[in-house]
Amino acid sequence: MAASRAAAALQPRGPTSKLVLGCGSNVVDKFYPIRRWPKEGTKGYFLEESICSARVVGGVTLNHLVWARALGTPTGLLALQGTDENGVAIRQTLDDVGVDTSAIRVSDKFSTSLSHIFPSPGAERTILMAPASTANLDAKTMELEFGSVIRRRASMITTEISQVPLSGVLFLLHAARDAGFPSLLDVDISPEVALGPAQLGSSAELIECVTSASMVKLTAEAAEEVLGLVNPKLNGQTERSLEGLAQQLAEALHARLCVVTDGSRGLALALGRRKAQDQTSGSGGRRKAVHPVLVPGLKGISLVDFTGAGDAAFGAMVASLHAQGFPETADGLLSMGRIAAAAGAACVEVKGALPHPQKSVARVLQLAPEAQPLADAAALLDMGVSPSPDSTLSEAAAALVAGVKQRSPSVQAYARSLEEDVRALRTLSAGLTLHEKEDTIARVVELLAAAHTTTSKKTHIYTSGIGKSGLVAARLASSLRSISIRSSHVPATEFVHGDLGSLSRGDVLVCLSTSGRTSELIDVTRRVRVKGVDVIAMTANAASPLAQLADVHLHAKSAEPLGKVPARSIVVQEAVSNAIISAIAQATSLTMAQFLDNHPGGSIGQSSLATPSSTTTAPAARASSSPSPP
């Protein structure tokens, strides 16, 4: 009975489901190792010949959203990004981990944020930020680009003081207040930097930002600066302890919750006095304040990379608030703080700021067992379902996940694969919300429909690939023929052994390659482009050599089992092939009668045979509908 109630409380995720929406830093970090940072007016030297040694996707808000998603919260990014390879890398990373990208606005008029990092041996690294289009997200742009999606899809807003103009941050905080849902603010840089070098806005705007958010998280240093701005009468007289500083801040900002972090000292959490009341037992119904709590830094942690620890902790608090709401007791504060500290510790034990797919959540549970409901919620999200807004997350998750865990390991693997297939297709479908995809699809249909047998053109479609992609390419050519498109499949290796002679100007070559780096296809593409042949590439990487060489690129992204085994990529390629067939059938007004003329054999042909009494009317009846993709 409990399981059935839990199942009723669950709903499938879709394009209209509610999300925690975040807006702020989403960047590609580029690392340039140097011998040392030069003094002003002098020369410096790179440490390595390659100059740029690594490119990593990150950013404060992006990290928040990825960690929150790993801990069971449906999240989505609001951003302006370019069509460049850096924007592609960010969107693919988010797709891989399940963060919704449908609200990202992509255009060649926008540019993607970059962070140029200059590490040098034995010294602090120097960072130069290039916020790009993120720096243009003022209040007016926020309303224009994201106003409607916030009102339709947001259940919570998370943002930062780092790269977004303060007027844009205020728009987000006010939108959350007006809609009646929480807003969370990470003060990632100090007020001195925000108002000085970063030039984000005025001190009045900054004060309004920190006093408008439901939850504010700051470092101890930034907390003291903020208190000085909000209440100049303090004259620098701030509390010495972390928990005292958190309480002083919560009262000054009138926030529901304030969090102050200070590296190895840990973090402190405090409720604002207007929200920090709970009913005590005893006569008179008196209330007492909930005291702030301190969560010390965890011991026994293997330090690998300090990057993003604070972001991971903030993401864990986002997940806690989403699942359980704002704490009302000291125990509730302590539980949230422990989960946040565990996430920060799990982050520093792996390289980079993003959670490790296998290790990080397991490590959070090891350090903070109270995070189990969040891990259960993450399992639900991976299965493609979310609790309904009026259900209890932990009860629904526990019931469903408990049922899954009772299955044998082989059945679990079987079910998990099916769920991942569904997730991959849902992500693929969500990508259609980007406007440039519509132009891409229209161009693909135009090129392939030119080979319809009823046209006077002699255009011919050739499909090609290697390995499993080659098998899908062969099926695509076969299905195209069944809807009257002149097409043939030629393995990539055969083209360079004489079959290049079959292609001529006006033909179209469709290349399938998950990586987009298949050398045979790249070579063939270069050769046929010279002959005036149009090339359509279907790959998982828009920045790959094959995608860059092609006239049109179709995105078919998926995560593979064990990272390498071709499985999900085949499902996605087949789905894109089906979509192509359906689009062409619609564009060419294909009728069922025409399809059956091409396919008289087998069970399909046999099912079309009419009885003698209906023979004269069957063709007209069949012509009234279009076939599904063969």
Side-chain angles (χ1 to χ4, degrees), residues 278-317:
D278 65 356
Q279 189 74 38
T280 62
S281 58
S283 61
R286 298 178 60 192
R287 294 174 178 267
K288 67 178 182 180
V290 176
H291 295 294
V293 301
L294 173 68
V295 179
L298 297 174
K299 306 296 184 181
I301 304 302
S302 302
L303 301 179
V304 175
D305 187 352
F306 285 101
T307 305
D311 301 342
F314 191 93
M317 288 185 280

Side-chain angles (χ1 to χ4, degrees), residues 115-126:
S115 173
H116 302 279
I117 302 173
F118 299 87
S120 55
E124 289 286 338
R125 62 187 184 180
T126 300

Side-chain angles (χ1 to χ4, degrees), residues 150-229:
I150 289 172
R151 289 184 281 271
R152 282 187 295 106
R153 301 200 62 190
S155 63
M156 189 184 300
I157 286 289
T158 175
T159 186
E160 65 183 25
I161 294 180
S162 178
Q163 290 190 6
V164 177
L166 297 180
S167 68
V169 174
L170 280 173
F171 173 85
L172 296 170
L173 301 177
H174 291 167
R177 178 199 62 196
D178 295 344
F181 51 74
S183 57
L184 315 180
L185 177 66
D186 187 353
V187 183
D188 183 63
I189 58 177
S190 68
E192 180 182 3
V193 174
L195 302 178
Q199 300 180 3
L200 298 181
S202 67
S203 58
E205 288 175 318
L206 192 146
I207 291 172
E208 190 176 357
C209 284
V210 295
T211 55
S212 297
S214 307
M215 185 191 94
V216 183
K217 175 226 162 197
L218 318 88
T219 64
E221 181 182 357
E224 293 177 353
E225 283 192 48
V226 166
L227 280 172
L229 284 173

Side-chain angles (χ1 to χ4, degrees), residues 128-162:
L128 296 179
M129 303 300 301
S133 290
T134 301
N136 298 327
L137 287 171
D138 56 15
K140 183 178 179 181
T141 305
M142 285 283 193
E143 171 60 45
L144 177 66
E145 300 290 351
F146 307 125
S148 63
V149 71
I150 289 172
R151 289 184 281 271
R152 282 187 295 106
R153 301 200 62 190
S155 63
M156 189 184 300
I157 286 289
T158 175
T159 186
E160 65 183 25
I161 294 180
S162 178

Side-chain angles (χ1 to χ4, degrees), residues 46-83:
F46 289 103
L47 187 63
E48 301 174 2
E49 185 177 345
S50 60
I51 302 180
C52 182
S53 64
R55 293 174 173 82
V56 179
V57 169
V60 176
T61 293
L62 183 145
N63 296 339
H64 295 167
L65 297 175
V66 174
W67 275 93
R69 172 59 181 80
L71 291 170
T73 300
T75 60
L77 178 65
L78 306 173
L80 305 181
Q81 292 179 357
T83 55

Side-chain angles (χ1 to χ4, degrees), residues 542-553:
S544 64
L546 184 59
Q548 296 297 309
L549 283 170
D551 298 282
V552 186
H553 175 251

